[in-house]
Amino acid sequence: MRYRLRLWGLLVWLGLMTTGYGLGEASPSLNKLIETGNALVKAEKYEAAVRAYKSAWKLYNSPDAVYNLAVIYDHELEFTAKAVYYYEKFLSLEPEASEASQVKEWLSSAKQRISPQQAGQSSKQTKLSPLLNKLMDPGEDELCRQGSQQLAQGEYEAAIGVYRKTLLTNKSAAACYNLAVLYDYGLGYKASAVYYYQRFLGMAPDSANAAEATARLEQVKQELRQGQAPHIESKTYKLRTLKTE
């Protein structure tokens, strides 16, 4: 009996550790996590918002969190593969949701953006040489170097994922700069380029690449003001909120 109690206590402790909350620390409510994520989106702190939504999904299996993850990955972070994953997850959880029809349209569009990668590889290759010449040297950051190698092979989504990982875990200024360059020159997603140029300048204002980042940031902002960026659209999504606790 005593052995069983000890085993049960160990399992409880392991469960608390894997959710990130200790014995004296209560998990935040689902409502709090969704509200926090939505507030972070409003402040354009998208990666922090993603972390809040992922906590809501992990702790509460929340379809609201899954929906918000999908639209942020799609419309703000432009991480298409993850958007597809969460769109499909949402439709499996709430196939009759009021948003289902719109989600299916977004899902179809996202899949089309992924599938032409094979057929359109030659057009991407024409962009790669000038793009690769603009990348920042990763120095000792092997993850950042791996991202650049994947980009050199035309693996845009994989490169973005690796750059983001080392930006988050290693605070890599090179990865941040390379994300800005990739979104700017490689994909033409100017709003994302502005975000990463600004973030890079906040991280490394004295870098040798700071002058180029500053000049390009102002140019891209001007393009956005003049409506010249081909991928920029007004927001077409509305985040989900909880009606009750």
Side-chain angles (χ1 to χ4, degrees), residues 11-97:
L11 291 173
V12 169
W13 181 82
L14 287 172
L16 289 167
M17 292 304 101
T18 56
T19 58
Y21 300 99
L23 291 172
E25 186 178 357
S27 301
S29 69
L30 173 59
N31 196 54
K32 183 64 175 177
L33 288 168
I34 297 294
E35 285 182 351
T36 298
N38 291 359
L40 288 165
V41 170
K42 187 174 181 180
E44 299 184 353
K45 297 180 179 179
Y46 302 120
E47 292 179 348
V50 162
R51 290 194 291 274
Y53 294 141
K54 283 186 175 179
S55 293
W57 167 235
K58 182 177 181 180
L59 291 169
Y60 300 102
N61 298 320
S62 167
D64 304 290
V66 172
Y67 175 86
N68 290 353
L69 278 166
V71 296
I72 294 308
Y73 273 127
D74 192 3
H75 299 278
E76 301 297 352
L77 295 175
E78 290 149 0
F79 203 150
T80 311
K82 288 196 174 184
V84 166
Y85 172 80
Y86 285 107
Y87 280 141
E88 291 179 335
K89 177 66 69 175
F90 173 76
L91 289 172
S92 72
L93 293 170
E94 291 195 7
E96 304 301 324

Side-chain angles (χ1 to χ4, degrees), residues 196-214:
Y196 284 108
Y197 280 133
Q198 289 176 329
R199 188 166 176 180
F200 168 74
L201 290 170
M203 295 174 68
D206 299 322
S207 165
N209 295 77
E212 174 64 23
T214 301

Side-chain angles (χ1 to χ4, degrees), residues 50-227:
V50 162
R51 290 194 291 274
Y53 294 141
K54 283 186 175 179
S55 293
W57 167 235
K58 182 177 181 180
L59 291 169
Y60 300 102
N61 298 320
S62 167
D64 304 290
V66 172
Y67 175 86
N68 290 353
L69 278 166
V71 296
I72 294 308
Y73 273 127
D74 192 3
H75 299 278
E76 301 297 352
L77 295 175
E78 290 149 0
F79 203 150
T80 311
K82 288 196 174 184
V84 166
Y85 172 80
Y86 285 107
Y87 280 141
E88 291 179 335
K89 177 66 69 175
F90 173 76
L91 289 172
S92 72
L93 293 170
E94 291 195 7
E96 304 301 324
S98 59
E99 302 94 339
S101 176
Q102 178 64 79
V103 166
K104 288 175 183 176
E105 290 183 19
W106 286 333
L107 175 60
S108 176
S109 175
K111 285 183 173 179
Q112 287 174 9
R113 294 199 301 274
I114 292 176
S115 60
Q117 286 183 350
Q118 299 293 331
Q121 197 68 21
S122 59
S123 64
K124 280 190 175 181
Q125 292 295 335
T126 62
K127 299 180 182 178
L128 277 176
S129 293
L131 171 59
L132 295 175
N133 290 336
K134 295 179 184 298
L135 295 179
M136 185 171 173
D137 189 326
E140 300 299 318
D141 189 337
E142 288 303 317
L143 263 181
C144 187
R145 190 178 304 280
Q146 178 186 335
S148 298
Q149 290 170 349
Q150 289 175 314
L151 182 57
Q153 296 169 9
E155 299 174 0
Y156 282 45
E157 293 283 353
I160 289 170
V162 174
Y163 283 147
R164 283 188 176 139
K165 181 177 180 181
T166 190
L167 174 58
L168 179 65
T169 59
N170 299 328
K171 303 294 187 289
S172 171
C176 189
Y177 183 83
N178 291 349
L179 278 167
V181 168
L182 194 164
Y183 279 123
D184 187 1
Y185 296 97
L187 296 173
Y189 292 124
K190 302 301 183 179
S192 293
V194 166
Y195 170 78
Y196 284 108
Y197 280 133
Q198 289 176 329
R199 188 166 176 180
F200 168 74
L201 290 170
M203 295 174 68
D206 299 322
S207 165
N209 295 77
E212 174 64 23
T214 301
R216 187 58 189 163
L217 173 61
E218 292 307 311
Q219 186 174 348
V220 173
K221 283 182 174 180
Q222 183 65 23
E223 291 176 5
L224 288 175
R225 284 192 292 268
Q226 294 175 353

